[in-house]
Amino acid sequence: MDPNWYPDPLSRYEYRYFNGRGWTADVSVDGRRLVDPVGAQPYPDLTAISPEPRPPSPDRPRRAGMTAMVLGIVALVLGLFPYLFVLGAILAVAGIVFAISSLRSARSIGGPRGFAITGLITSVATAGTCVVGVYLTFLIHDEIKQWQQPPANDVVIAACDASEGTARIEGSLVNESDRASDYFVRVEVRTGPFDDDILFEQFDVGTVQPGSAVDFVGSFVVDDQVDDVKCRVVEVTGPRPFDVPQN
């Protein structure tokens, strides 16, 4: 009997390898090669069995190829998104590994190659979509930085008072930088006998040129008995990212 893979005569595994002289401990299940810890003994007479040789199952390259294709497609899509492109790059590397493994198995024991080739192409193409993800990530980071860290400025509250149920705030902002910028000023307003009622007012100052000052005025309703308010600037921000309107 020629050396080859044959159905396991011991019925412990799917296939067992015959080396030409006797049965070995090399076995196979669903295309996966294993080692029988018990070995092929004590059955020396099994060498007389001569079943038709059958190759290991091609399911392994098929499964690896499908895994590579799924990973490649998911990676290709994730590469387009900011921050998520990192995960896309990791999945692309895994897709390439599975694709190469599937192609090698298909070449040695047979099996479909279409899934693996698709996975390899999409995984490699992820490098292009990751470029988009990197660009969008830097764009978002720059927008958020301009919003949280506006150019140098100085804000002065000129008036903060209440009368007949209406509180009024007047202030001005000076752009102390060398470039024009939009500004938003958030003011904390305390009312009540113990300054325990806290309100927050947001002022859209608009675009302020370098070295220029822009006034802002606002009023809001308070309790009729309130005749004294205290105002404090708590935050100055720049233009909202991508001009997202305030709710």
Side-chain angles (χ1 to χ4, degrees):
M1 189 165 59
D2 295 332
N4 209 330
W5 290 93
Y6 299 91
D8 186 7
L10 304 182
S11 300
R12 292 204 294 265
Y13 296 88
E14 187 176 3
Y15 299 100
R16 186 177 294 272
Y17 190 76
F18 182 76
N19 63 8
R21 298 188 305 271
W23 298 101
T24 69
D26 293 325
V27 294
S28 172
V29 176
D30 292 334
R32 295 182 295 111
R33 293 190 60 175
L34 307 169
V35 176
D36 185 354
V38 180
Q41 300 299 326
Y43 300 96
D45 59 327
L46 292 176
T47 58
I49 302 176
S50 301
E52 290 296 325
R54 296 175 61 184
S57 171
D59 286 343
R60 179 181 179 183
R62 179 184 293 110
R63 290 195 297 266
M66 293 183 66
T67 301
M69 183 180 68
V70 172
L71 290 174
I73 293 174
V74 174
L76 191 68
V77 174
L78 290 179
L80 295 170
F81 290 88
Y83 302 104
L84 292 179
F85 75 90
V86 177
L87 178 59
I90 295 174
L91 294 181
V93 173
I96 292 175
V97 172
F98 275 98
I100 294 176
S101 174
S102 176
L103 291 173
R104 287 179 175 176
S105 298
R107 183 173 58 184
S108 61
I109 64 175
R113 303 175 59 189
F115 294 139
I117 294 175
T118 302
L120 184 61
I121 293 174
T122 52
S123 296
V124 173
T126 300
T129 60
C130 282
V131 173
V132 178
V134 171
Y135 170 76
L136 293 178
T137 299
F138 277 100
L139 181 62
I140 292 175
H141 181 269
D142 185 61
E143 289 284 328
I144 294 177
K145 182 178 180 180
Q146 292 185 47
W147 170 53
Q148 294 180 334
Q149 302 176 13
N153 60 86
D154 182 40
V155 181
V156 176
I157 299 297
C160 178
D161 53 51
S163 177
E164 298 180 353
T166 300
R168 180 179 175 84
I169 301 174
E170 295 182 7
S172 64
L173 181 145
V174 179
N175 183 350
E176 298 181 339
S177 71
D178 57 357
R179 61 185 178 91
S181 176
D182 293 345
Y183 291 95
F184 292 85
V185 178
R186 192 164 185 248
V187 179
E188 176 191 85
V189 183
R190 289 180 175 268
T191 64
F194 302 102
D195 297 335
D196 51 355
D197 294 333
I198 303 176
L199 303 174
F200 292 94
E201 289 294 316
Q202 182 98 344
F203 295 92
D204 182 357
V205 181
T207 303
V208 184
Q209 299 299 322
S212 300
V214 174
D215 298 331
F216 57 88
V217 179
S219 60
F220 52 94
V221 177
V222 295
D223 191 280
D224 292 341
Q225 298 180 353
V226 173
D227 56 5
D228 182 38
V229 294
K230 296 180 180 179
C231 302
R232 180 175 69 92
V233 176
V234 294
E235 184 181 35
V236 179
T237 59
R240 295 190 181 92
F242 306 104
D243 296 325
V244 176
Q246 182 183 12
N247 293 329

